[in-house]
Amino acid sequence: MIFFIIAFIALMIYSYRKDIKNHERYYKGAGKKVIIYGGLIIVIFVAIRFLFGN
C-alpha cells in the first residue's frame, strides 16, 4: 500500500509538471474563482444553519 501511495504521488507530480503550460493557458485565474465560490458556499451554509438552528 505504501508503494502505491508513493507511486501515485510521483505520477501526479510528473503529470502536473508535464502539463504546467496548459494549466497557465487554460485555467488562468481559476484559483481565485475556487476561493470566491467556495467561500460563498460556506457563508450560505453557515447562514442557513444560523437561521434554521440545528
Side-chain angles (χ1 to χ4, degrees), residues 45-54:
F45 176 74
V46 170
I48 290 171
R49 295 281 297 192
F50 182 71
L51 292 173
F52 297 110
N54 297 332

Side-chain angles (χ1 to χ4, degrees), residues 13-47:
I13 292 170
Y14 171 75
S15 177
Y16 180 78
R17 296 213 181 229
K18 185 176 148 187
D19 292 336
I20 198 159
K21 290 181 182 180
N22 288 335
H23 289 285
E24 292 173 359
R25 181 177 175 190
Y26 293 111
Y27 301 112
K28 190 174 189 178
K32 292 178 187 175
K33 291 178 185 177
V34 169
I35 290 171
I36 291 170
Y37 293 131
L40 184 63
I41 290 170
I42 291 171
V43 167
I44 291 170
F45 176 74
V46 170

